Amino acid sequence: MTASNPARPSRPRGDAALRAAALTFAVALAACSPSDADATTDGEVQPTGTSAEPPSTAADARLPSVPSIEPVDALSVFAERAEHAPTPPDEARETTLRDLVETAFLPGYATPRLAGLARDELLAEDDATRALEQGLRHDDADVRIQCAWQLGQRADPTALPPLVARLRDEVDRRAQLWICDAMWRLGCDTGLEFLPGYFRYEDTANDAGRSAMERIRHAGLPLSEQPTWEELGAAIVEIHDHWRLTGRPLVGGPEGETPHGGETPTSEALYGRLAKMMLEFPREELRGVDIARAVLRSLGRVGLPLLRTGLRDRGDTVRVRFHTLEIVERLGPAAHDLGPEVLALVDDPICASLALRALGELGYAQALPHLLARLASEDPEIAVAAAAGLGGLRDARAIAPLRTVLDDAERSIDERVWTAASLALLVVPDDDDAPDPGLSFLEHLLETDGYHRPTLEELVDRTKRERRLASSRWRAPAPGPDESDEER
Amino acid sequence: MTLQTSIRLTLAGALIATVVGTSWALTRENDAAEHDPAPAAADAGFVPARFTSSKQCRECHQDVWDEWHGTQHQIAYENPEVRKLSNDFRTKECQACHLPKPVFQTGLAQRTLPRVTRPDEGVGCLSCHEGPDGRIVGRHTVDDAPCTPIAHTEFVTATQCETCHNQHGTTDQWRESPFFGKQDCADCHMPEIDRAGGRKGRSHVMPGGHDLATLKAAGRFELERGDDGAVVTRLTNVGAGHNYPTEERSRALDVLVRFLGDDGRPLAVAGFEHPEIVPEHMRELEDGWLCIYRYRSPYRDEPIPNTQLPSGESLAQTVTPPDGAARVEARLMYRRNPFAPDDHPEVLTIEERTLELR
């Protein structure tokens, strides 16, 4: 038994050096001549100059240098900021507030007059927001709906974390809708992804339509006098796209009509709450970590200052930077500003592969030479991540190096599959007869059972979806959270 | 020639010179290495070769591979049940344990972190055997084995298992159990076996909740008549060093009873108050069966109590027989998916008991 990968025999080192040299040359050219990539007639974009080959192990010592960053003790910073988190009511107060919430909102619990009085009293309390947040977890969906609606009206962004966390677990479609509505009113458009999905159901269509029209008006997008569902859906998709790409809500409506003014919500209490959640990262059990991840990746740019701190952490546990990196990867282009911090992790023994993927998701162009150089890492996990990152960057200069990996039968199947998936995002044929090397490779493996089927299916689906989105925004109604929420 | 072109040509020239020089130097170094004897593993500066797949282990350890292949560990990332529950692993929180990086590298007694490669291997050889520095770890140091494993004191201990199996509290339950300090995870789930050549090893089948014999050994299920004439079912966790069932969400253990008349037909039971843990739709089942108790832990914010049965503990349920009852039957059923109906393949009948009432 040998200790080398049977799928990839060791190459003679002299050959490796020449490969490395070729890549170094290509990377340097790529770095100094960004305008040299030309489109060919079949839609494939080819870099001019040399065809780049990835380096082998011998080149690893000569990887492009990674910029250093100032390390911080993130957990101390989080602990300090967490002190500003809103204080939860004590047990007695919690009981009082729960009674008020139930009297005000639980159907049939009180007379309409008493319910009205209780609502007025509740909303006048200093800790009304905390009471309404508690109400989001009430057994009765009508109570949850009323609490979500009221939270949306209070212009207090500290309610965003519990709203996002509730949306993740909420099973009632109407409650989901009103949580999405409250979120956008507080400056978080993540829930808009699901809004068009509620157009399809009788019990949510009207409310969803009204919420959509109001959000579209705040965005300043044009609407016809009698808008169709398709028109509403298309506008909401546009607003959500803006959110996804920038992490900021799209605003442009008449002054005074935008509840949050389009500014990224900030407050020490909100940061305190988020910092408290990030203190969960080193814990062994995942539940708290998972909630923190779900919340922070749903808040666009809101969490960036804390995420920057998390990425700079060099403490004893890798989990602070790893989980921060997971959030940043999912935020994608909205977290582009964190590129330098992510790049600084590409040599981290545990975080490297995730950092390489994240650089692609962020669209951090400066990462190109770092990703190219790691395509031939002897560690398949790193090589795979570099290939995936290059797919995310969508830089045509990666096509030739990716093609070289794909055509190298000595590379592991993992590397070739992920390389093919990235190539399929970069080389999009104009017509059915044009070469489509990436997608053809994946589809061939699917037909021949040549790789883990669910992974292949996911990559093929993603390729087709991305291509469709790239050619024209897809207008089909998005499903509701009950059908597509990733955390469900 | 523009200034930009001039700079590019200068840079390219410098790079070519560097490249040629480097290549020559590396080729020379390679030639020299070919004439040197192979360095011993113990030599200072030895860089252990990195293993990248369980398939490499198979070359020498076919027997272990055969035990592991097809187990829940191997299929952890492709198991259709899991893929369904995790929405095809779009629920990212599940991936860390179902496709883990080597646990020695991500840290013992800490939750593992996810990888992407080798999805068909799930929890594979390297998940547990790849050490912090990339070398293979095992129970013993074996210098003359091709993979030169080194002994690690934490290998095959609960500390290693808990990187995944404490996510839902299983290892913590063991620490609170009568088994703690006497038997650990491997004693039940990886028993010692004899291998070819007289070697001792540990089984890599690792049976658990998918194995009927393991489930039967975990609990003692009794059906008896109380002094007041009521029927009593009792379950005692005698064999599991953790809760029965353990894990959360997807595991449920149900106690079912039904009463039969002289003619063998089921009789209705009036006035039995189902505990909250038994879902509405499970309370009265076909053919007169009543689900009288469910042992299960809540998932996320499910508003139910945790009714799993801790190690060494016992719990009884009492039902008053209806008039005319001649016989009572009881079943203990294990559901890997708590929402699955009785005839679903994910549902196992662990025990059946009958008691004549006349």
Side-chain angles (χ1 to χ4, degrees):
Chain A
M1 179 176 175
T2 62
S4 63
N5 181 354
R8 183 162 22 140
S10 300
R11 299 181 181 112
R13 294 184 70 190
D15 179 42
L18 289 172
R19 286 162 183 264
L23 179 83
T24 309
F25 187 48
V27 168
L29 279 180
C32 71
S33 58
S35 61
D36 282 353
D38 299 324
T40 59
T41 49
D42 63 358
E44 184 170 332
V45 185
Q46 294 279 11
T48 53
T50 180
S51 85
E53 277 213 0
S56 190
T57 327
D60 289 352
R62 299 186 297 115
L63 291 171
S65 64
V66 173
S68 60
I69 52 134
E70 179 108 8
V72 295
D73 177 0
L75 291 175
S76 298
V77 175
F78 296 157
E80 203 173 300
R81 300 199 79 159
E83 288 175 12
H84 299 282
T87 311
D90 61 27
E91 205 174 321
R93 179 68 181 152
E94 197 174 312
T95 306
T96 306
L97 292 172
R98 189 168 49 240
D99 284 346
L100 270 177
V101 165
E102 290 188 334
T103 310
F105 301 134
L106 185 61
Y109 188 77
T111 62
R113 183 172 175 278
L114 188 58
L117 288 171
R119 190 191 60 219
D120 292 347
E121 187 183 336
L122 171 69
L123 298 179
E125 296 284 352
D126 288 342
D127 49 4
T129 300
R130 308 287 88 81
L132 295 167
E133 288 168 5
Q134 274 180 36
L136 290 176
R137 297 193 301 272
H138 196 276
D139 287 349
D140 191 288
D142 286 311
V143 175
R144 302 199 295 274
I145 288 168
Q146 289 294 332
C147 289
W149 161 253
Q150 293 293 348
L151 283 170
Q153 302 300 309
R154 293 182 68 79
D156 179 355
T158 61
L160 277 170
L163 281 166
V164 174
R166 184 62 224 170
L167 181 62
R168 185 169 158 272
D169 287 338
E170 181 58 66
V171 291
D172 185 279
R173 190 165 48 234
R174 294 170 309 135
Q176 289 168 2
L177 160 62
W178 288 110
I179 292 169
C180 294
D181 180 272
M183 283 166 56
W184 74 250
R185 288 175 195 279
L186 297 179
C188 170
D189 279 344
T190 292
L192 294 187
E193 180 183 0
F194 309 116
L195 197 55
Y198 303 121
F199 297 168
R200 294 184 309 207
Y201 302 100
E202 200 178 336
D203 59 348
T204 51
N206 284 338
D207 289 332
R210 271 196 291 274
S211 181
M213 286 176 70
E214 208 175 339
R215 181 65 190 93
I216 293 164
R217 198 165 60 245
H218 292 153
L221 296 182
L223 267 187
S224 58
E225 259 183 51
Q226 298 282 326
T228 61
W229 293 115
E230 288 71 23
E231 193 182 346
L232 290 180
I236 289 295
V237 167
E238 190 175 337
I239 297 169
H240 182 258
D241 272 356
H242 182 275
W243 167 259
R244 193 173 51 80
L245 294 173
T246 66
R248 292 189 172 94
L250 178 64
V251 295
E255 206 171 325
E257 277 202 22
T258 308
H260 45 68
E263 298 298 320
T264 299
T266 58
S267 79
E268 274 309 307
L270 175 59
Y271 282 134
R273 202 161 218 180
L274 296 174
K276 199 172 178 181
M277 299 177 106
M278 292 176 85
L279 283 170
E280 292 283 320
F281 284 176
R283 288 175 61 88
E284 186 181 358
E285 292 195 8
L286 193 56
R287 187 51 36 84
V289 177
D290 193 45
I291 293 170
R293 285 189 306 201
V295 168
L296 277 148
R297 69 165 183 254
S298 300
L299 294 182
R301 294 179 60 83
V302 172
L304 292 200
L306 292 169
L307 296 172
R308 190 185 302 279
T309 303
L311 291 175
R312 285 172 175 256
D313 184 69
R314 295 295 183 272
D316 292 340
T317 170
V318 70
R319 279 157 183 77
V320 173
R321 51 188 186 276
F322 191 91
H323 293 316
T324 306
L325 201 45
E326 287 178 312
I327 295 163
V328 169
E329 186 211 13
R330 294 288 290 273
L331 274 171
H336 180 272
D337 291 358
L338 302 181
E341 280 79 10
V342 177
L343 186 56
L345 288 170
V346 294
D347 288 332
D348 183 290
I350 300 299
C351 296
S353 56
L354 184 55
L356 293 167
R357 288 169 177 277
L359 288 166
E361 293 299 319
L362 265 57
Y364 191 60
Q366 292 91 322
L368 181 71
H370 300 273
L371 293 168
L372 283 171
R374 283 163 180 79
L375 259 186
S377 167
E378 283 293 309
D379 182 346
E381 192 77 14
I382 296 293
V384 159
L390 288 169
L393 278 193
R394 304 286 207 282
D395 189 314
R397 287 169 289 178
I399 292 174
L402 286 170
R403 189 66 201 253
T404 304
V405 173
L406 179 63
D407 293 343
D408 183 352
E410 293 177 6
R411 305 296 290 256
S412 73
I413 189 67
D414 291 314
E415 290 165 86
R416 296 179 77 197
V417 162
W418 284 90
T419 298
S422 286
L423 206 52
L425 297 175
L426 285 164
V427 182
V428 182
D430 288 338
D431 58 65
D432 291 345
D433 297 329
D436 192 356
L439 190 58
S440 304
F441 185 82
L442 296 176
E443 289 180 331
H444 173 73
L445 285 178
L446 256 181
E447 285 165 18
T448 56
D449 258 344
Y451 191 68
H452 187 245
R453 176 165 286 273
T455 301
L456 283 174
E457 287 172 345
E458 189 183 329
L459 291 174
V460 169
D461 285 350
R462 187 193 69 177
T463 301
K464 292 180 175 172
R465 188 171 63 244
E466 294 278 327
R467 287 181 175 184
R468 227 171 17 231
L469 286 170
S471 58
S472 66
R473 281 300 299 161
W474 189 32
R475 299 303 192 201
D482 53 335
E483 290 159 84
S484 77
D485 181 5
E486 291 183 355
E487 290 308 315
R488 204 150 297 279
Chain B
M1 183 184 294
T2 64
L3 180 61
Q4 194 181 23
T5 310
S6 165
I7 291 170
R8 282 184 199 166
L9 284 176
T10 308
L11 180 57
L15 274 167
I16 288 167
T18 309
V19 159
V20 170
T22 309
S23 306
W24 178 80
L26 284 169
T27 308
R28 290 273 304 206
E29 184 188 320
N30 188 43
D31 290 342
E34 280 173 4
H35 292 94
D36 290 335
D43 282 356
F46 170 69
V47 179
R50 193 181 170 84
F51 284 82
T52 55
S53 166
S54 299
K55 294 180 180 71
Q56 293 167 281
C57 310
R58 184 185 189 178
E59 292 175 26
C60 293
H61 301 284
Q62 181 71 48
D63 51 348
V64 182
W65 168 281
D66 289 341
E67 287 165 14
W68 162 78
H69 202 260
T71 63
Q72 297 303 312
H73 276 125
Q74 186 255 311
I75 66 167
Y77 195 64
E78 46 191 24
N79 183 340
E81 283 178 43
V82 179
R83 294 202 79 90
K84 190 174 159 193
L85 285 167
S86 65
N87 195 9
D88 258 337
F89 283 99
R90 280 188 279 274
T91 306
K92 293 288 180 191
E93 67 188 88
C94 306
Q95 189 168 334
C97 291
H98 287 263
L99 196 62
K101 285 177 183 277
V103 298
F104 275 105
Q105 292 178 3
T106 54
L108 297 180
Q110 299 181 71
R111 184 173 19 79
T112 185
L113 298 169
R115 69 170 197 273
V116 174
T117 51
R118 298 174 281 116
D120 55 329
E121 291 182 15
V123 184
C125 307
L126 301 178
S127 302
C128 300
H129 284 275
E130 187 172 343
D133 59 357
R135 293 184 66 163
I136 296 302
V137 294
R139 287 196 291 166
H140 310 289
T141 297
V142 186
D143 290 332
D144 59 351
C147 59
T148 59
I150 50 172
H152 195 294
T153 52
E154 300 287 351
F155 188 72
V156 204
T157 63
T159 314
Q160 187 177 14
C161 304
E162 78 173 292
T163 54
C164 288
H165 288 280
N166 208 30
Q167 278 314 295
H168 307 145
T170 302
T171 323
D172 285 345
Q173 292 157 15
W174 166 74
R175 290 199 172 90
E176 298 293 318
S177 80
F179 285 67
F180 182 61
K182 298 171 191 159
Q183 284 178 277
D184 65 12
C185 314
D187 290 320
C188 294
H189 297 282
M190 292 189 78
E192 293 266 9
I193 55 170
D194 294 319
R195 295 199 181 283
R199 284 191 306 125
K200 288 278 183 194
R202 282 192 181 270
S203 167
H204 283 62
V205 175
M206 295 180 247
H210 290 73
D211 178 63
L212 188 58
T214 304
L215 289 167
K216 277 180 178 289
R220 184 173 66 230
F221 185 55
E222 297 161 293
L223 174 64
E224 59 195 23
R225 192 129 198 213
D227 294 340
D228 58 355
V231 164
V232 179
T233 62
R234 181 178 290 104
L235 180 66
T236 308
N237 181 347
V238 291
H242 45 71
N243 289 357
Y244 184 37
T246 187
E247 297 295 329
E248 67 170 19
R249 184 190 195 184
S250 48
R251 303 284 183 259
L253 196 57
D254 289 336
V255 179
L256 273 58
V257 296
R258 72 169 174 179
F259 293 92
L260 304 173
D262 286 325
D263 58 359
R265 298 172 72 143
L267 300 173
V269 178
F272 179 76
E273 286 192 20
H274 285 87
E276 185 192 2
I277 187 70
V278 182
E280 290 280 351
H281 71 280
M282 291 289 300
R283 293 182 175 184
E284 294 184 14
L285 304 167
E286 286 182 5
D287 300 326
W289 286 101
L290 292 180
C291 180
I292 60 169
Y293 201 74
R294 167 165 277 196
Y295 297 91
R296 188 183 167 228
S297 149
Y299 180 67
R300 287 189 176 168
D301 63 346
E302 264 188 304
I304 56 171
N306 183 352
T307 57
Q308 291 177 339
L309 189 61
S311 180
E313 293 193 11
S314 184
L315 191 70
Q317 289 83 38
T318 304
V319 189
T320 305
D323 291 341
R327 171 196 289 190
V328 59
E329 296 175 339
R331 281 180 182 168
L332 184 65
M333 302 187 78
Y334 185 77
R335 295 175 207 272
R336 292 199 294 267
N337 174 346
F339 312 109
D342 290 358
D343 58 353
H344 195 277
E346 291 171 12
V347 178
L348 292 173
T349 300
I350 302 174
E351 301 285 0
E352 289 184 292
R353 300 278 182 273
T354 301
L355 184 67
E356 299 299 334
L357 299 175
R358 297 263 172 84

